[in-house]
Amino acid sequence: GDPDPIRREGAIDINGLDVTMIRRTKNVALQAQLYSSAILVTLIWGLVLRIYEQIHGALPFWLIMMHQIFYPMQGVSNFFIFVRPRMARIKRRNPTRSYLWALRKAIFAPQQTSNWLGNQRCSGL
């Protein structure tokens, strides 16, 4: 059998809980935290900018630059968060390959991803 019970479908832990469902639930929670963090990092600079402007009037250059850098980057951060589970799965199945290779395969060859994952489901978490 499989020495790692977490990788087996339907494995039950000592509390009678499905280990696979627990792992998937944790992955979904992590994705939600990452998306929430990305939006917070993106929007916090605009909020700080407006508050500072109301209190002091003039805005420091560095604060304007932080807002100008992070606001347009929201899509980039969301993209990397979106491909993270597939990339991690590819990397886990191909530990000798680089993270850049796994990222490239997750982005540019999604139709072939199931081959690198051992023909397991590759969409979603």
Side-chain angles (χ1 to χ4, degrees):
D2 190 353
D4 186 3
I6 292 179
R7 293 199 184 266
R8 268 196 333 252
E9 282 294 318
I12 306 298
D13 75 353
I14 58 173
N15 297 321
L17 300 171
D18 184 341
V19 175
T20 303
M21 286 302 288
I22 293 170
R23 181 174 45 87
R24 287 183 181 162
T25 301
K26 287 181 179 181
N27 285 338
V28 169
L30 177 60
Q31 283 294 104
Q33 288 173 345
L34 290 172
Y35 279 118
S36 299
S37 298
I39 193 76
L40 180 66
V41 168
T42 299
L43 297 180
I44 194 73
W45 298 107
L47 178 66
V48 170
L49 195 71
R50 294 299 160 225
I51 291 171
Y52 192 95
E53 184 179 39
Q54 292 297 316
I55 294 171
H56 300 287
L59 294 171
F61 178 74
W62 68 269
L63 191 54
I64 296 169
M65 287 307 299
M66 294 303 282
H67 176 64
Q68 294 295 324
I69 290 170
F70 281 98
Y71 191 71
M73 299 262 315
Q74 180 181 358
V76 174
S77 61
N78 283 340
F79 170 75
F80 282 112
I81 294 167
F82 178 77
V83 298
R84 186 195 65 83
R86 180 175 288 167
M87 188 186 85
R89 208 173 289 112
I90 291 169
K91 179 65 176 150
R92 191 169 48 247
R93 299 285 184 184
N94 301 277
T96 59
R97 298 291 200 148
S98 70
Y99 282 101
L100 187 59
W101 179 86
L103 177 64
R104 203 173 75 236
K105 295 302 176 189
I107 295 169
F108 297 113
Q111 70 280 6
Q112 297 174 354
T113 302
S114 61
N115 296 334
W116 295 308
L117 296 178
N119 293 323
Q120 291 187 358
R121 189 180 77 113
C122 64
S123 62
L125 299 172

